[in-house]
Amino acid sequence: MMPRDLQMDWLKCFVAVVDAGSLSSAAGEVHRSQSAVSMQLKKLEAALGRQLLVRGPRHLQLTADGQTLLGYARRMLDLHAETQAVFGGETLTGRVRLGVPDDYATRYITPVLKRFAPRHGAVEIELNCEQSTALIPRVASGDLDLALVSRDHARRGTLLFHEPLVWVGSAHFELWRRDPLPIAVYEAASLARRSAINSLALQGRRYKVVYNSSSLAGQIAAVESGLAVAVLTQCSAPEHLQILGSEHGLGPLEPMQVAVYRSRASQGSRAVDSLRNLIIRTLRSSGSD
């Protein structure tokens, strides 16, 4: 039997619940009561003849059918919003000050901006590339409106996905055989640095910091030159570098919690709202987690 036509309100509630993680949190996002959101989900499931969410006492989990629908739902809502913008006669304007570390810029922010710019050409984007440790306080102070960062606190920002960390070395230099192990690290507050040192400590492996740099290019240069091994986010590790693991005597690393942070000062900005929502929709459906 063919499914019934799907209403946009059903899809909006479905995506809001997935993004917010609960019916109560989603209710505020779509300006409906919790019971109304629940009813919309039931109508959507009835129209498709499939269960989309498993509702536990403390969490919601997508079924396989729900995961399949999620990608389609986001695309339909994006196209719906784009159509409204074209024919609504209302142009989004303003400026968004966006922060992102170098290692997330190409892989994650570029696809978002490619989708945002054609729809909202009157919005000025000011892009700031720095490490998460520098971006987070800038969002807190209102110097930036949004930032995609490796979050430093489990309850801050909106979690999007987990980004694996990997040990990398040059295949031309078997530095992993050395004792102590020469390592390149980011700044002292870096979560990647902390993860690397904690991993080595758990192994009881001796190491020596031979290179410090807050830049991704600097880390890669240290590895390419045979100076050290380093820890990079998986998305930023160049293909020509060797991924090192247990067979090289190196232990596992804690992944990064990638989240979007928003400043309180930017509340009420429709341009910031639009870009933040697009970041969430795009990156939560990217399959990175």
Side-chain angles (χ1 to χ4, degrees):
M1 185 175 66
M2 291 292 292
R4 291 160 44 198
D5 289 343
L6 306 181
Q7 295 185 18
M8 299 305 298
D9 284 348
W10 300 348
L11 297 175
K12 285 179 182 178
C13 286
F14 171 65
V15 171
V17 168
V18 173
D19 288 346
S22 70
L23 292 176
S24 57
S25 297
E29 293 289 332
V30 296
H31 308 293
R32 291 177 178 268
S33 66
Q34 183 173 332
S35 60
V37 171
S38 179
M39 182 59 67
Q40 297 289 70
L41 291 179
K42 290 178 181 177
K43 290 179 179 178
L44 179 59
E45 289 180 327
L48 292 170
R50 307 289 180 88
Q51 183 178 8
L52 303 173
L53 293 163
V54 177
R55 301 170 181 85
R58 295 185 178 179
H59 69 282
L60 292 168
Q61 183 175 349
L62 282 168
T63 65
D65 288 321
Q67 189 66 57
T68 299
L69 176 64
L70 183 61
Y72 289 110
R74 292 193 193 281
R75 286 160 57 190
M76 285 189 281
L77 291 174
D78 282 348
L79 186 58
H80 183 256
E82 185 175 346
T83 304
Q84 286 182 316
V86 170
F87 291 98
E90 185 176 2
T91 302
L92 199 62
T93 60
R95 180 178 65 146
V96 181
R97 299 166 299 172
L98 174 65
V100 61
D102 288 335
D103 45 352
Y104 295 155
T106 300
R107 174 65 177 82
Y108 298 122
I109 286 297
T110 296
V112 172
L113 296 181
K114 282 184 177 179
R115 296 173 66 185
F116 186 84
R119 304 178 195 176
H120 308 297
V123 176
E124 176 189 351
I125 305 293
E126 179 186 305
L127 189 62
N128 296 260
C129 290
E130 296 181 77
Q131 289 300 309
S132 296
T133 50
L135 295 173
I136 291 171
R138 290 187 65 187
V139 174
S141 69
D143 187 43
L144 291 176
D145 301 310
L146 292 173
L148 182 72
V149 297
S150 299
R151 71 177 180 182
D152 58 354
H153 192 287
R155 295 186 178 181
R156 293 179 181 169
T158 299
L159 178 64
L160 302 177
F161 59 89
H162 291 80
E163 174 68 29
L165 288 175
V166 292
W167 292 99
V168 295
S170 170
H172 302 294
F173 306 95
E174 295 186 342
L175 298 181
W176 51 272
R177 296 183 182 274
R178 294 190 184 177
D179 182 29
L181 178 73
I183 61 173
V185 294
Y186 286 105
E187 70 279 8
S190 165
L191 297 176
R193 174 179 178 147
R194 189 186 310 169
S195 183
I197 291 175
N198 286 346
S199 177
L200 294 171
L202 287 172
Q203 290 181 274
R205 180 156 188 182
R206 298 198 308 159
Y207 66 90
K208 181 180 180 182
V209 175
V210 298
Y211 186 86
N212 276 277
S213 174
S214 61
S215 99
L216 173 62
Q219 297 289 316
I220 293 173
V223 175
E224 289 177 333
S225 64
L227 184 62
V229 299
V231 168
L232 303 180
T233 51
Q234 183 173 275
C235 67
S236 67
E239 292 184 2
H240 65 277
L241 294 183
Q242 183 180 13
I243 303 297
L244 307 174
S246 58
E247 66 273 27
H248 304 97
L250 293 169
L253 299 157
E254 286 291 323
M256 296 288 96
Q257 293 186 16
V258 182
V260 59
Y261 282 37
R262 178 179 186 162
S263 71
R264 292 183 179 180
S266 71
Q267 297 294 332
S269 167
R270 292 182 60 249
V272 175
D273 286 344
S274 183
L275 182 55
R276 176 183 177 274
N277 291 339
L278 184 59
I279 288 172
I280 293 172
R281 291 198 303 270
T282 302
L283 299 186
R284 273 194 172 167
S285 63
S286 65
S288 301
D289 193 357

